[in-house]
Amino acid sequence: MRASQFFISTLKEAPADADIVSQKLMLRAGMIRKVGAGIYSWMPMGLRALRKVEAIVREEMNRAGAIEISMPVVQPAALWQETGRWDKMGEELLRFKDRHDRDFVIQPTSEEVVTDIVRGELKSYRQLPKNFYQIQTKFRDERRPRFGVMRGREFTMKDAYSFDRSAEDALKSYDNMFAAYQRVFDRMGLTYRAVAADTGAIGGDRSHEFQVIADTGEDAIVYCPDSDYAANIELAEALAPESARQAPGAEMQKVSTPGVKTIDELVAFLSCDIKETVKAVVVEGDAEDKLPVLLLVRGDHELNEIKGEKLAGVAKPLTFAAPESIVAAFGAQPGSLGPVGFKGKIYADRSVAVMADMVVGGNEDDVHLTGVNFGRDLPEPEVADIRNVLEGDASPDGKGVLAIQRGIEVGHVFYLGTKYSKEMGATFLDMDGKPKHFEMGCYGIGVSRILGAAIEQNHDERGIIWTDALAPFTVVIVPMGMKRSEAVADAAEALYQGLLAKGVDVLLDDRDERPGVLLADSELIGIPHRVVIGDRSLKEGKVEYQHRRDADKTELAAADVLDFMFGKLGI
Amino acid sequence: MRASQFFISTLKEAPADADIVSQKLMLRAGMIRKVGAGIYSWMPMGLRALRKVEAIVREEMNRAGAIEISMPVVQPAALWQETGRWDKMGEELLRFKDRHDRDFVIQPTSEEVVTDIVRGELKSYRQLPKNFYQIQTKFRDERRPRFGVMRGREFTMKDAYSFDRSAEDALKSYDNMFAAYQRVFDRMGLTYRAVAADTGAIGGDRSHEFQVIADTGEDAIVYCPDSDYAANIELAEALAPESARQAPGAEMQKVSTPGVKTIDELVAFLSCDIKETVKAVVVEGDAEDKLPVLLLVRGDHELNEIKGEKLAGVAKPLTFAAPESIVAAFGAQPGSLGPVGFKGKIYADRSVAVMADMVVGGNEDDVHLTGVNFGRDLPEPEVADIRNVLEGDASPDGKGVLAIQRGIEVGHVFYLGTKYSKEMGATFLDMDGKPKHFEMGCYGIGVSRILGAAIEQNHDERGIIWTDALAPFTVVIVPMGMKRSEAVADAAEALYQGLLAKGVDVLLDDRDERPGVLLADSELIGIPHRVVIGDRSLKEGKVEYQHRRDADKTELAAADVLDFMFGKLGI
C-alpha cells in the first residue's frame, strides 16, 4: 500500500478522556475514532490489524474443524425468554422494541440462537460432534464503558458452540478448542497464560480463561512458578494453614475502641498484629427473610466474593447486608461487628479456623473483644475457603508457592453441559434410539479486545510495538526526500515491488512530509520492520534497517536489502 | 472442503411462509435459517456465497481507490439529530434507549457518522478526494419484511461515501464508482441494467440504480432498445403527445351514472373509449389548511407519485386527501370527482392537456360529465408530466419507443452535493484559504440482497444455478459408492487434491448418502461444475462432467478430467 492512497491520521496528543495506554495509542495512531461512549469507528489502520486477528482466529477455528456461520445481531426476545436470560441478565443486555412493539435484544453472545438452529438441524448422534462459530458484532451495555476497545459496548467477538453426544465427548471438544486457542495466541506472538476459571452460575466443571499478561490488566492471575498450576484469583484455592490451632492463651476481654472502624485503625489502636484480627463481613442469606450470614476472614486477608457466593445459605448473587438489617441482627454498626453472640450462620475462612486469642468486633458500637477463642467463647464455626490467595501462599498442587500477575482476558473456553439444551428442549436421537440432550461448550475470543491487550503488553514511550502477525503493515519503507531524489524514489519503489511480489504487507510512506514526521509516525503506529532510504547514504550504496524493538539502526548495502528483508521475515 | 467436515442441510420443502423463489431455494439449500421476521442466520453454505460477494465488492472498491473503514452498528442519536434524519425518517429507523436513557439508532446507512469522522480528519483540499467505505450489518425496521434476504430487516450492505472539493470533482468520483459497480456486477456474471433514478428529497442531479433483471423484481425499469436510455419508472419522462388538441366537438352534458365508481365501470356504462376519460386524483396541498390539489391523468394512465410529489403546492410526502376534505372541496364522494367547478389548483398530465370532449366526474354523486373541454367549460389547466410511462411510449431521447422490464435493485450511486456537509458543518480549507463544504456522494450495494437477486435470475425447477463467481463451491465431486470402491475413492481424492492445489473451491461430497440424494443436493445448491465418479464407468476409464446449465452429461476419460476441469475453469 502506498501511504498516498491510504489514510494515515496520527495525533500528537490523545483526547483527554482516553484512560489507558492502549486506548491513547490506538487513538493517536489513527486506528480508531470515538463515536460515543464505548462505541468506536475502526479507521483504515485499525481495521487492517483487526482483520489480521480475524484471519488468524478463522484459520485456527477452521483447522480445529469448527464451521463458520453468522447469526443475527438483532435477536427476538422469545428465544432469550426460553432460557430465562431475558430476565436473569442485567442491564448489560440491550433490550428494545421494534415498530410492532415486539421485544428484541442485541446479541452479547448467541447461545440461544445457535441452540435453536441445532435443535432444528441436528437429529441424530451420527451428525455429532459439531462446532459452529461466528465472528460477529456484539453489544454489551456496560454501565461505565472504558479502556477503549477493551471494555467498549460494541465489539467484535468470535463465539463458537460445540454440540456432543456425551460429557466425555464434550470435554474432547473442549480440549480441541483449548489447543486451538493456544495456537491462536502463539501465532499472535502474545505472552499469555491459560488459567482455570470459575464456572459461575452455569455450573459445569471446566472453564479456562486465556489471559494476556500486562501490568495494566483488570484480572489477577495466580500461578505457581514451579508447576503448571494457574488460575484466576476468583478460583484459586487457599489451602488451610499447616499449623493447628493453639490452645487459648488469654481470657476474652471487652475493649473500648472509640472511633475505630477499620482493621488498620484497630491494629494501630491495640498495637496488635493484624494476623490476630478477624474481619466480619455480613451478607444476605438466601431464605425469604434474608437473615444475614456472617463471613470471617483474617484481618490481612480479602474476602473472595465468588467463593462466598457458593456457600450454602448465602444469597446468589452475593449481596452485602443493608445497614438496617445489620443493626437489627448485631445491635451495632459495621466497624464493630463480630461472631460472639451472633445467632445466625457463621462461616470462618480456613485461616481463621486455626486462630486462637482472636481480636474481633464486640457487636456494640466502639467496642471490640480480645482473647476470643472458638469452642470456648463461641461455638466452633463452619469452615470454608472464602479468601483470595496471596503471593507466597502454598500452591494448591503442593508444588511450591503462588505468584500473582495481572492479565487481560482475551479468550474463554467453557464446558456448558446440558444447561441450554435442556432449557430449550434441544435433543438428538442417540444410538439407542432415545432422545438425549446435547452436551455443549462455548468458546469466546475478544477479537477487537486482543488489539488493546497486545498494545498494553507491547509498547514504549514512542508508541505501539506490533508483532509481525498483528501489525497493520509488516514493513514500512521510509524514503527521505522521494520527491527531490530520483535515486531514492527508484530504490524505494524497487524494494516495495520486491516485497509486494512475495505477498508482504508493506507500506511505502510516500507522503510529502518531513522525515521526522515519517519516522515518528512509523514508530507511533508500531510497524515492526522499517527500511529508511536516504539520499546521502544511498549515494554510498547504503540503506538503514531498524526493527521497532531495536535501539539502533543497521546499515545495509542497498543491493542486499531485499534478501535481508526476506531473511528477517522468514520468507 | 469435504462434505463430511462441512455442514450440508437441504430441505425437501421450503417452509410455508417463504414467499418468493429465491427465499424458498435459499432455505431449501440450507443457506439461511429464519430467526425472526426479516432476520436470518447465515448457514455455512450461505455464508460462503456471501463472502464471495463481499470479496468481489471489496476488491473493486479498493481498486477504485476507496478506503475501507468500519463504523458502528449502534450510533448515538445526537449525530442523527444534527442532520434532522432522527425526526424525518419513519419507523424504518430503529431507535432505542440505552441503560442511561440516551437515544441511539441501529444504522440503516452511515452518512452522519462518516461526515462526523471527516469533519475531524480532513482539513485541507490537499487531502481530497477521499472515499471511505464499509461492509457492515445494517438494520431497517420494515413494516412488512418479505422476500427473504431481499427485503429483510437485518442485512449486509456496502456503503461508500466520497468527499470532494467541488461538484465537478464529486461527479468524477461518481463516475469512478459507477464504473466500479459495473465491474462488480460484470464479475458476478449477472444480467443487470444501470438506470437513472430519482434523487428524491436529497436533491442533487445524479443518481443511478443498478438493477438485476428478473421477472419477479419489485421495480419497473424503463429502457429504449434502440438507445442507451434507461431509467427507473419513477423517473422516466412521459413526453407530451405529438398531436395537438382538437377543437371541441360536443356540448358539455351531465350524465347520470348510478353506482359507477371506477374508470372501467364508467367505460362500460357509457360504451366510450377509455382514452376519452380522465381520472381525478385528489392530494393534499402544502399550505397549512392542506387545501386539496387535483391531479388529472388519462383513464388508461397511472399517476406517478414521485412526479406528483415534486409539483409546486403539493404536500411532501405526497398524501392522498382524506374523504372528509374531498367531500368538503368537491361536494361529492370519490368516484364522481372532476375538474369542472373546482376552485383549487389543478394539474393536468401532458396527455390530458391535449384531450377534447373529455369524460370526467361531475362533482355530484353518481353523475359524470361528457363533452368537457378546457378553455370553454373550465380554465386551461397547469400542465405537467405526472404519469408513469407505458411500453411503446416514445423514448425521451427521441430514439425509438420504450420497453419495460422488472428489476431488483442491488446497487445505488448518488450524488449528494453539500446536503450533509452543510447540515453537519463539515468543511475543509480550500486553495484560497477559505472554508468550504465537502461535496459528497454515497454509494450502496446490497451485499446480502445480491444473492437473492442472483437466484431470482438464475434458477430452474431443480434449484439454484450459480455463476462461478458467486457459487459457494465452484466444483462438486460426487463419488458414487466411495465406501464400497477404493478405485472411486482414489479417483475422487486425486481430482479433489488436484483442484485444491490450484486454489479451486471444490466440494468433495463424501457423505454416506444414496447417489440420488447427492445428485439432487448438488443441483438444489446449484454448484456450477459437477464431476460424477461411478464404479462402473470408472472401470471403463470414464467419468462424467455436467455443468449445472447443461441438459446432458459429458463422458470423459478419467485420466483427462483434471485438465478438462482446468479448461472449464480457465486456469
Side-chain angles (χ1 to χ4, degrees), chain B residues 26 61 182 198 281-282 313 351 374 378 421 425 493 545:
Chain B
M26 288 180 82
M61 287 300 107
Q182 289 179 311
D198 185 60
V281 182
V282 188
S351 301
F374 289 118
L378 74 169
S421 56
E493 186 70 24
Y545 168 84

Side-chain angles (χ1 to χ4, degrees), chain B residues 2 475-499 506-511 513-516 518-519 522 529-546 553-562 564-565:
Chain B
R2 293 172 202 275
V475 178
V476 57
I477 303 170
V478 182
M480 301 285 202
M482 196 170 174
K483 294 252 160 96
R484 292 185 310 276
S485 160
E486 211 169 304
V488 167
D490 289 349
E493 186 70 24
L495 177 58
Y496 179 62
Q497 295 298 344
L499 290 168
V506 53
L507 178 70
L508 173 59
D509 200 344
D510 59 351
R511 289 179 297 160
E513 296 278 1
R514 285 179 296 109
L518 300 182
L519 295 175
S522 78
H529 304 273
R530 182 172 74 189
V531 178
V532 177
I533 302 177
D535 198 15
R536 209 173 309 170
S537 50
L538 193 63
K539 277 181 186 145
E540 294 161 17
K542 302 282 186 193
V543 300
E544 282 170 11
Y545 168 84
Q546 189 169 5
K553 306 160 196 165
T554 305
E555 207 167 62
L556 299 174
D560 299 339
V561 63
L562 196 56
F564 175 86
M565 288 308 301

Side-chain angles (χ1 to χ4, degrees), chain A residues 211-335:
Chain A
Q211 297 269 0
V212 167
I213 305 305
D215 293 341
T216 50
E218 279 192 283
D219 292 339
I221 303 166
V222 179
Y223 67 102
C224 177
D226 303 318
S227 73
D228 59 2
Y229 180 82
N232 190 307
I233 198 160
E234 294 178 347
L235 183 71
E237 184 183 2
L239 296 181
E242 292 195 0
S243 52
R245 190 196 296 162
Q246 307 239 312
E251 287 308 301
M252 180 165 82
Q253 281 197 317
K254 233 184 199 186
V255 188
S256 169
T257 51
V260 168
K261 295 285 174 204
T262 67
I263 287 288
D264 287 344
E265 289 164 359
L266 182 65
V267 167
F269 187 86
L270 297 180
S271 301
C272 65
D273 185 341
I274 194 170
K275 293 185 179 172
E276 296 169 36
T277 68
V278 171
K279 272 194 280 203
V281 183
V282 188
V283 299
E284 288 183 2
D286 63 359
E288 212 172 324
D289 56 13
K290 296 182 183 174
L291 219 59
V293 175
L294 185 61
L295 310 180
L296 301 177
V297 294
R298 212 168 68 187
D300 59 327
H301 286 159
E302 247 180 28
L303 175 70
N304 180 311
E305 296 183 18
I306 301 290
K307 293 177 182 175
E309 182 173 302
K310 290 181 185 162
L311 298 170
V314 167
K316 290 141 202 18
L318 187 91
T319 310
F320 295 105
E324 315 84 71
S325 70
I326 290 177
V327 172
F330 291 85
Q333 303 283 343

Side-chain angles (χ1 to χ4, degrees), chain A residues 171 174 197-207 235 310 414-419 439-440:
Chain A
L171 292 176
Y174 182 100
D198 184 62
T199 51
I202 294 175
D205 66 352
R206 213 178 297 192
S207 168
L235 183 71
K310 290 181 185 162
F414 213 112
Y415 164 56
L416 291 170
T418 55
K419 176 183 156 55
E439 283 277 344
M440 292 173 56

